[in-house]
mmCIF file with all atom_site columns, all heavy atoms in Angstrom:
data_model
loop_
_atom_site.group_PDB
_atom_site.id
_atom_site.type_symbol
_atom_site.label_atom_id
_atom_site.label_alt_id
_atom_site.label_comp_id
_atom_site.label_asym_id
_atom_site.label_entity_id
_atom_site.label_seq_id
_atom_site.pdbx_PDB_ins_code
_atom_site.Cartn_x
_atom_site.Cartn_y
_atom_site.Cartn_z
_atom_site.occupancy
_atom_site.B_iso_or_equiv
_atom_site.pdbx_formal_charge
_atom_site.auth_seq_id
_atom_site.auth_comp_id
_atom_site.auth_asym_id
_atom_site.auth_atom_id
_atom_site.pdbx_PDB_model_num
ATOM 1  N N   . PHE A 1 9   ? 121.320 99.789  128.628 1.00 0.00 ? 9   PHE A N   1
ATOM 2  C CA  . PHE A 1 9   ? 120.942 100.228 127.260 1.00 0.00 ? 9   PHE A CA  1
ATOM 3  C C   . PHE A 1 9   ? 119.452 100.261 127.197 1.00 0.00 ? 9   PHE A C   1
ATOM 4  O O   . PHE A 1 9   ? 118.972 101.117 126.562 1.00 0.00 ? 9   PHE A O   1
ATOM 5  C CB  . PHE A 1 9   ? 121.454 98.960  126.297 1.00 0.00 ? 9   PHE A CB  1
ATOM 6  C CG  . PHE A 1 9   ? 122.152 99.516  125.155 1.00 0.00 ? 9   PHE A CG  1
ATOM 7  C CD1 . PHE A 1 9   ? 123.481 99.609  125.055 1.00 0.00 ? 9   PHE A CD1 1
ATOM 8  C CD2 . PHE A 1 9   ? 121.472 99.804  123.924 1.00 0.00 ? 9   PHE A CD2 1
ATOM 9  C CE1 . PHE A 1 9   ? 124.193 100.097 124.071 1.00 0.00 ? 9   PHE A CE1 1
ATOM 10 C CE2 . PHE A 1 9   ? 122.158 100.401 122.872 1.00 0.00 ? 9   PHE A CE2 1
ATOM 11 C CZ  . PHE A 1 9   ? 123.502 100.545 122.970 1.00 0.00 ? 9   PHE A CZ  1
ATOM 12 N N   . LYS A 1 60  ? 92.264  91.007  96.894  1.00 0.00 ? 60  LYS A N   1
ATOM 13 C CA  . LYS A 1 60  ? 92.817  90.216  95.731  1.00 0.00 ? 60  LYS A CA  1
ATOM 14 C C   . LYS A 1 60  ? 92.754  90.945  94.385  1.00 0.00 ? 60  LYS A C   1
ATOM 15 O O   . LYS A 1 60  ? 93.477  90.706  93.494  1.00 0.00 ? 60  LYS A O   1
ATOM 16 C CB  . LYS A 1 60  ? 91.986  88.844  95.647  1.00 0.00 ? 60  LYS A CB  1
ATOM 17 C CG  . LYS A 1 60  ? 92.755  87.899  94.788  1.00 0.00 ? 60  LYS A CG  1
ATOM 18 C CD  . LYS A 1 60  ? 91.969  86.625  94.863  1.00 0.00 ? 60  LYS A CD  1
ATOM 19 C CE  . LYS A 1 60  ? 92.923  85.475  94.119  1.00 0.00 ? 60  LYS A CE  1
ATOM 20 N NZ  . LYS A 1 60  ? 92.328  84.126  94.226  1.00 0.00 ? 60  LYS A NZ  1
ATOM 21 N N   . TYR A 1 96  ? 108.470 105.608 100.991 1.00 0.00 ? 96  TYR A N   1
ATOM 22 C CA  . TYR A 1 96  ? 109.787 106.042 100.395 1.00 0.00 ? 96  TYR A CA  1
ATOM 23 C C   . TYR A 1 96  ? 109.696 107.470 99.860  1.00 0.00 ? 96  TYR A C   1
ATOM 24 O O   . TYR A 1 96  ? 108.629 107.932 99.626  1.00 0.00 ? 96  TYR A O   1
ATOM 25 C CB  . TYR A 1 96  ? 110.194 104.922 99.424  1.00 0.00 ? 96  TYR A CB  1
ATOM 26 C CG  . TYR A 1 96  ? 109.205 104.833 98.099  1.00 0.00 ? 96  TYR A CG  1
ATOM 27 C CD1 . TYR A 1 96  ? 109.400 105.423 96.944  1.00 0.00 ? 96  TYR A CD1 1
ATOM 28 C CD2 . TYR A 1 96  ? 107.969 104.056 98.288  1.00 0.00 ? 96  TYR A CD2 1
ATOM 29 C CE1 . TYR A 1 96  ? 108.568 105.208 95.906  1.00 0.00 ? 96  TYR A CE1 1
ATOM 30 C CE2 . TYR A 1 96  ? 107.125 103.892 97.266  1.00 0.00 ? 96  TYR A CE2 1
ATOM 31 C CZ  . TYR A 1 96  ? 107.413 104.471 96.095  1.00 0.00 ? 96  TYR A CZ  1
ATOM 32 O OH  . TYR A 1 96  ? 106.494 104.284 94.921  1.00 0.00 ? 96  TYR A OH  1
ATOM 33 N N   . TRP A 1 104 ? 116.577 108.199 88.249  1.00 0.00 ? 104 TRP A N   1
ATOM 34 C CA  . TRP A 1 104 ? 115.962 108.729 89.466  1.00 0.00 ? 104 TRP A CA  1
ATOM 35 C C   . TRP A 1 104 ? 116.757 108.383 90.799  1.00 0.00 ? 104 TRP A C   1
ATOM 36 O O   . TRP A 1 104 ? 117.580 107.598 90.794  1.00 0.00 ? 104 TRP A O   1
ATOM 37 C CB  . TRP A 1 104 ? 114.509 108.123 89.633  1.00 0.00 ? 104 TRP A CB  1
ATOM 38 C CG  . TRP A 1 104 ? 114.460 106.671 90.113  1.00 0.00 ? 104 TRP A CG  1
ATOM 39 C CD1 . TRP A 1 104 ? 114.283 106.243 91.476  1.00 0.00 ? 104 TRP A CD1 1
ATOM 40 C CD2 . TRP A 1 104 ? 114.802 105.407 89.389  1.00 0.00 ? 104 TRP A CD2 1
ATOM 41 N NE1 . TRP A 1 104 ? 114.485 104.850 91.485  1.00 0.00 ? 104 TRP A NE1 1
ATOM 42 C CE2 . TRP A 1 104 ? 114.704 104.309 90.175  1.00 0.00 ? 104 TRP A CE2 1
ATOM 43 C CE3 . TRP A 1 104 ? 115.155 105.173 87.994  1.00 0.00 ? 104 TRP A CE3 1
ATOM 44 C CZ2 . TRP A 1 104 ? 114.874 103.027 89.912  1.00 0.00 ? 104 TRP A CZ2 1
ATOM 45 C CZ3 . TRP A 1 104 ? 115.258 103.862 87.584  1.00 0.00 ? 104 TRP A CZ3 1
ATOM 46 C CH2 . TRP A 1 104 ? 115.123 102.933 88.537  1.00 0.00 ? 104 TRP A CH2 1
#
Side-chain angles (χ1 to χ4, degrees):
F9 232 91
K60 198 168 186 178
Y96 60 102
W104 78 99

